[in-house]
Amino acid sequence: MTNSDTKAILTFSDGSAPLEMPIYKGTVGPDVIDIRKLYAATGMFTYDPGFMSTAACNSAITYIDGDKGELLYRGYPIEELANQGDFLESCYLLLNGELPDAAQKLEFDYTVSRHTMVHEQMQFFFRGFRRDAHPMSVLVGTVGALASFYHDSLDINDPRHREVSAIRLIAKMPTLVAMAYKYSIGQPFVYPKNNLSYSANFMHMMFSTPCEEYKVNDVLVRALDRILILHADHEQNASTSTVRLAGSSGANPFACIAAGIACLWGPAHGGANEAALSMLESIGSVDNIPEFIRQVKDKNSSVKLMGFGHRVYKNYDPRAKLMRETCYEVLAELGLENDPLFKLAMALEKIALEDEYFVSRKLYPNVDFYSGIVQRALGIPTALFTGIFAMARTIGWVAQWKEMISDPEQKIGRPRQLFIGEKTRSVKPIEQR
Ligand code: CMC
């Protein structure tokens, strides 16, 4: 970041002295006003619930231009990464800042594949859950539990420890997500196979049984890989900020990622793909769309068009375009072009894109509008969709966590507040209250 020649000057109508604050420029995107001295100089905080105008860190990982509908990982457009490379290539890029050459890619793939197994003791954590537990609750628990197994790599101040933990998290997430699924349906856990690609191995752990091996279908594996690439990082979203905040206290990376998973679970964030599919199922048929849209527009109802709208994208989500393409490919491969839910989704998308309510609010489909349909076609149960998102986003969380730990400006995250409660008062004896 560089200093701008322009300064921000904050003036007050009560005649208090104005305050000059530096402005910094990034490489692209909005400049920021450095308000760090504001409290010391004025005794005031800024008020910004939801971080609508607040940059909480500087970062060189992911850039989004919400008005243009642009998403870049380390400067590379998501379209090029999704069309030309695989998920582990994006992982390498997010983690290390540059794309790997052929030898680096081979080595990285090899290293990740050598960390895919989890400690055999982990199965007992799974067995403690009810079979019908939500996979996100299982993942919060089991990912956090990983910290108990890797005391050899928990020193966050040691770069080598950070590296090893990062690889372990990326490598073990598919194993844990697949274990959560197998446990929920009462099938035996399937061990990873290291000669398969990252995504093919996940499909194997999900769909093989001791009696029958999963036959790798390249179109379906490629679709899953694309879901992972598109969800890998998304700058300072709610779960990433959660990971950063948890990590700012010096907590170990497994604990931080477990915190990220908890945040991702919410329906306004990672839970949206599950919610979008449930919404389509509850609408049921194209004839019911007008009534559904009426409810969405009704200020007194809490109904939302799930899979539409985004805090940052005020244009078509670039990930949604790619996911829409994948949706067509997967349904064609499986002969499901006439799938009623897909037809319903397309009709709903068309109506919403032409409706004044959505147009005037710049509400466009986001990636989750389509990713649920793709995942359902891949055979992934609805309850596991957010788990797949967590598996993809783990690399983003880990890369952002690593960046934060190495940032000399990093401090423990400690937001302030505008206090609106009672002033000091005395406790009366209970009989006088
Ligand atoms: N359906 C109906 N109305 C909507 C929707 C929606 N999906 N999204 C926003 N609006 C309306 C909202 O009611 C408000 O209208 P008004 O100005 O009349 O009060 C206006 O649009 C602005 O909305 P907002 O709530 O201020 O926007 P936000 O930036 O705070 O919310 C959001 C972003 C993603 C939480 C919201 O769009 C939403 O809840 N969408 C549905 C859930 C969803 O698909 N989430 C996935 C996001 S992408 C994956 C991820 O990153 O996790």
Side-chain angles (χ1 to χ4, degrees):
M1 74 192 183
T2 52
N3 270 312
S4 163
D5 294 336
T6 313
K7 304 271 181 250
I9 299 180
L10 182 64
T11 56
F12 302 88
S13 57
D14 66 359
S16 308
L19 178 70
E20 188 180 286
M21 291 169 292
I23 295 180
Y24 306 133
K25 292 189 158 306
T27 33
V28 274
D31 298 345
V32 299
I33 303 171
D34 181 351
I35 58 161
R36 280 176 292 183
K37 300 234 160 65
L38 181 74
Y39 177 56
T42 66
M44 283 185 223
F45 301 137
T46 55
Y47 182 62
D48 186 19
F51 299 96
M52 301 294 285
S53 295
T54 297
C57 61
N58 65 67
S59 180
I61 302 177
T62 295
Y63 175 74
I64 303 172
D65 186 325
D67 293 324
K68 277 204 244 163
E70 181 179 69
L71 169 61
L72 310 174
Y73 293 165
R74 303 280 190 186
Y76 295 104
I78 191 68
E79 293 81 0
E80 291 183 26
L81 294 169
N83 288 327
Q84 294 177 37
D86 65 8
F87 175 62
L88 282 185
E89 189 166 300
S90 284
C91 288
Y92 184 99
L93 173 69
L94 289 165
L95 209 53
N96 300 306
E98 293 299 336
L99 283 167
D101 62 23
Q104 289 166 329
K105 174 73 167 62
L106 265 180
E107 194 194 332
F108 187 70
D109 288 5
Y110 179 86
T111 310
V112 171
S113 73
R114 263 59 196 175
H115 285 277
T116 48
M117 277 206 299
V118 293
H119 195 289
E120 198 60 9
Q121 203 69 8
M122 279 300 288
Q123 59 168 298
F124 297 110
F125 282 86
F126 281 90
R127 295 192 200 288
F129 284 97
R130 281 172 58 130
R131 296 264 176 193
D132 62 357
H134 194 284
M136 289 302 274
S137 121
V138 176
L139 287 172
V140 170
T142 53
V143 172
L146 286 179
S148 328
F149 293 90
Y150 302 111
H151 295 144
D152 62 343
S153 63
L154 292 186
D155 180 0
I156 61 156
N157 299 313
D158 181 332
R160 178 69 195 141
H161 281 210
R162 298 203 291 265
E163 196 64 44
V164 173
S165 290
I167 297 287
R168 282 187 168 138
L169 276 156
I170 301 162
K172 293 183 201 306
M173 270 305 277
T175 313
L176 294 177
V177 174
M179 284 173 87
Y181 171 59
K182 287 298 197 189
Y183 184 73
S184 73
I185 55 168
Q187 285 187 4
F189 298 132
V190 173
Y191 289 104
K193 260 201 172 160
N194 291 346
N195 60 342
L196 294 175
S197 71
Y198 190 88
S199 294
N201 178 45
F202 176 69
M203 300 283 265
H204 154 74
M205 290 188 290
M206 286 283 292
F207 303 122
S208 284
T209 68
C211 339
E212 204 169 323
E213 189 84 348
Y214 168 75
K215 285 192 196 58
V216 174
N217 174 322
D218 288 336
V219 176
L220 305 190
V221 167
R222 180 78 206 137
L224 175 72
D225 210 66
R226 181 171 269 196
I227 291 177
L228 301 184
I229 296 172
L230 300 185
H231 288 84
D233 196 39
H234 217 220
E235 52 121 300
Q236 309 311 320
N237 55 84
S239 57
T240 301
S241 301
T242 302
V243 169
R244 279 185 177 257
L245 197 57
S248 76
S249 73
N252 73 70
F254 301 102
C256 297
I257 302 307
I261 295 172
C263 176
L264 187 73
W265 193 354
H269 191 6
N273 49 18
E274 185 178 337
L277 202 74
S278 309
M279 172 194 77
L280 291 174
E281 277 162 356
S282 73
I283 297 173
S285 101
V286 174
D287 298 340
N288 298 332
I289 294 178
E291 169 56 20
F292 175 74
I293 296 278
R294 191 197 60 72
Q295 287 174 23
V296 169
K297 292 184 196 173
D298 181 356
K299 284 267 173 225
N300 299 319
S301 95
S302 56
V303 179
K304 275 197 167 177
L305 178 47
M306 299 311 284
F308 260 66
H310 198 274
R311 170 60 60 81
V312 181
Y313 295 119
K314 300 301 169 199
N315 198 329
Y316 215 95
D317 176 346
R319 304 168 303 169
K321 277 190 198 140
L322 292 156
M323 199 52 358
R324 193 177 197 270
E325 217 176 88
T326 299
C327 200
Y328 277 101
E329 270 167 34
V330 165
L331 295 176
E333 172 69 15
L334 297 171
L336 294 173
E337 296 96 325
N338 291 322
D339 176 53
L341 215 62
F342 179 57
K343 293 208 141 168
L344 175 65
M346 294 304 108
L348 184 58
E349 179 206 44
K350 188 167 183 298
I351 291 170
L353 284 173
E354 287 165 359
D355 191 296
E356 199 279 328
Y357 175 93
F358 297 94
V359 174
S360 64
R361 288 171 178 76
K362 299 190 177 172
L363 298 171
Y364 293 89
N366 60 53
V367 62
D368 289 331
F369 191 72
Y370 308 100
S371 69
I373 299 169
V374 175
Q375 292 188 61
R376 177 171 167 268
L378 296 183
I380 296 167
T382 316
L384 203 68
F385 289 178
T386 319
I388 305 284
F389 191 162
M391 171 171 134
R393 185 55 60 84
T394 295
I395 177 57
W397 291 330
V398 165
Q400 301 264 354
W401 170 81
K402 267 185 77 199
E403 180 179 65
M404 181 196 66
I405 301 289
S406 339
D407 181 356
E409 303 220 320
Q410 188 267 327
K411 282 187 181 319
I412 185 166
R414 190 10 179 131
R416 302 298 196 142
Q417 65 176 10
L418 174 64
F419 183 70
I420 54 166
E422 296 288 345
K423 292 184 184 163
T424 314
R425 49 183 175 163
S426 294
V427 178
K428 286 189 186 151
I430 195 159
E431 58 282 2
Q432 291 175 24
R433 286 178 220 157

